[in-house]
Amino acid sequence: GAAWARGLLSWARPERWLASGSLFPLSCIHTSTSLQQIGKIGKWEKKNRIVYPPQLPGEPRRPAEIYHCRREIKYSKDKMWYLAKLIKGMSIDQALAQLEFSDKKGAKVIKEVLLEAQEMAVRKHNVEFKSNLHIAESQTGRGRYVKRVRCHGKGMFGMMKISRCHYFVKLVEGPPPPPEPPKTGFDQAKEYVQQLRNRTLVHTL
Amino acid sequence: VLVLVRSPLPRLRALLQRCWGRLERGLWPSVFGGQSPPWGAALAVQGLALVPQGINDAEAPSLLESVVWMAAPKHRRTIEVNRCRRRNPNKLIEVKRNIDVCPECGNLKQKHVLCGYCYAKVKEETRLIRMEIYKKEGGPFNTPTVETVVLYEGEKPTEKDEGKRIIERARKRPSWFVQN
């Protein structure tokens, strides 16, 4: 709706209709509703474009972050989620090893994405060692679904949906962070006692 | 509304009952959309569900005797319950601890499995040797009853390879193919 209105307004822009010799090339591009087919830049792809101001001499070095994704993978997002959960927090070498010997269809796709991201990191994002990366975030998203007819016996039919998914990964330079120790009962008890101690009287002297 | 179908054929009766059920629910032609109505108890009506008319005319036919109840979900499973089931650790993929590095080529391999790269290398060479054998034999069922020896460039048959069939390969001997 909004894109359609925008398209209409761009068509009705007055400067476009001013008869002038010079036609700016930008005004010839029309914003149409079918922007998805042309290649709309997603939010994840735009995250690679942010540029930080130069760091001051005393500041600790900011680790490089590389965002990469693949859209419209022919796989289910729930099944892909298990693979994304597997490699979350691993170093990139370990993740590639696990995916190489996984029997799932999505493992091959995620491996390609990780290798592409590693290549991008070394070439464009000033990462020194390609092994010195770890996976900070790995998520799946729902792609475009298509409904189709599935034929059953005796002339019956149902509607099935052909599902596709997106996969997003964020690589950060540096060794992987150590895993959090699981919360023990003692820790929970300490927290509970602390909560009891924090109780006080409100709205009083 | 109780509809009594006076039909002797049990299959036709079952079909008509199904059709009537679908008509009632307004699903004809039946299209199973995304929203499934909340399921209730489902009846599986057997062939002889019809109470014989002669015995009880005044009473309505009792359903509890001649009907088998099938299991069906009573309530919708909430997304929280679904998440607990789907994300249970037994459903997550386990981290494999049996991955090593192949000492020959440096690729990754599983401990109990041959290295994929080395296997592919050997497979390719075997395919080329088999092509040479095919060229020599010319057709099926021409296998000689003697052993075969593969010789690479610059190799001569030794006295051990006296009566054996010799296959020539036009390349240097690969390091992994040890000569006897």
Side-chain angles (χ1 to χ4, degrees), chain B residues 11 28 38-39 42 51 57 88 98 100 102 117 124 129 132-133 139 157 168 171 180:
Chain B
R11 268 202 207 155
W28 186 268
W39 298 16
V51 176
D57 254 339
N88 196 30
N98 54 355
D100 267 337
C102 170
Y117 184 79
E124 174 61 26
I129 292 172
E132 296 284 322
I133 293 175
E168 304 277 318
R171 57 156 281 191
N180 288 355

Side-chain angles (χ1 to χ4, degrees), chain B:
Chain B
V1 174
L2 205 65
V3 173
L4 300 178
V5 179
R6 292 172 176 274
S7 172
L9 305 160
R11 268 202 207 155
L12 188 59
R13 192 188 302 136
L15 182 62
L16 285 167
Q17 274 166 351
R18 261 189 284 139
C19 294
W20 182 248
R22 265 189 236 112
L23 273 170
E24 276 188 316
R25 274 173 274 140
L27 287 177
W28 186 268
S30 57
V31 175
F32 307 114
Q35 317 92 9
S36 59
W39 298 16
L43 297 182
V45 182
Q46 287 175 340
L48 296 168
L50 215 52
V51 176
Q53 287 297 296
I55 301 174
N56 292 319
D57 254 339
E59 293 173 19
S62 54
L63 295 169
L64 293 171
E65 292 162 7
S66 51
V67 163
V68 170
W69 297 93
M70 298 274 283
K74 189 79 182 173
H75 295 290
R76 183 205 151 113
R77 281 176 174 176
T78 56
I79 184 65
E80 295 89 3
V81 165
N82 280 337
R83 278 198 194 121
C84 288
R85 184 185 68 252
R86 287 169 192 164
R87 297 184 185 189
N88 196 30
N90 74 23
K91 295 234 171 157
L92 298 178
I93 306 176
E94 284 174 12
V95 177
K96 292 200 164 99
R97 304 208 174 269
N98 54 355
I99 301 175
D100 267 337
V101 177
C102 170
E104 301 285 322
C105 59
N107 292 74
L108 296 165
K109 73 183 263 303
Q110 281 190 305
K111 283 182 189 162
H112 60 292
V113 178
L114 297 174
C115 166
Y117 184 79
C118 301
Y119 178 67
K121 209 167 48 174
V122 172
K123 202 168 163 183
E124 174 61 26
E125 183 59 30
T126 318
R127 187 181 72 92
L128 296 169
I129 292 172
R130 281 190 183 145
M131 268 166 55
E132 296 284 322
I133 293 175
Y134 177 73
K135 274 190 267 183
K136 200 158 188 176
E137 287 179 1
F141 309 114
N142 292 348
T143 316
T145 50
V146 291
E147 285 180 33
T148 311
V149 151
V150 182
L151 294 176
Y152 287 87
E153 259 171 17
E155 283 170 20
K156 299 278 159 45
T158 60
E159 59 274 358
K160 277 199 289 184
D161 313 327
E162 282 297 295
K164 297 183 190 173
R165 162 176 77 150
I166 293 167
I167 303 288
E168 304 277 318
R169 277 278 295 127
R171 57 156 281 191
K172 200 170 70 96
R173 181 167 279 266
S175 54
W176 48 265
F177 197 162
V178 172
Q179 192 178 17
N180 288 355

Side-chain angles (χ1 to χ4, degrees), chain A residues 4 18 24-25 31 47 67 76 89 101-102 108 125 155 157-158 161 164 167 172 174 177 180 183 185 192-193 195 202:
Chain A
W4 178 77
L18 284 171
F24 301 104
T31 56
K47 291 195 182 209
Y67 294 88
S76 154
F101 297 106
S102 167
K108 202 166 153 190
H125 292 83
F157 64 94
K161 62 179 204 291
R164 284 184 273 187
Y167 177 67
V172 171
E180 277 182 30
K183 201 154 189 194
Y192 177 64
V193 168
Q195 273 179 3
V202 292

Side-chain angles (χ1 to χ4, degrees), chain A residues 3-17 27 29-32:
Chain A
W4 178 77
R6 224 188 309 128
L8 224 98
L9 282 173
S10 72
W11 171 81
R13 251 182 314 181
E15 61 254 26
R16 202 191 146 109
W17 295 98
S27 63
I29 301 169
H30 63 284
T31 56
S32 69

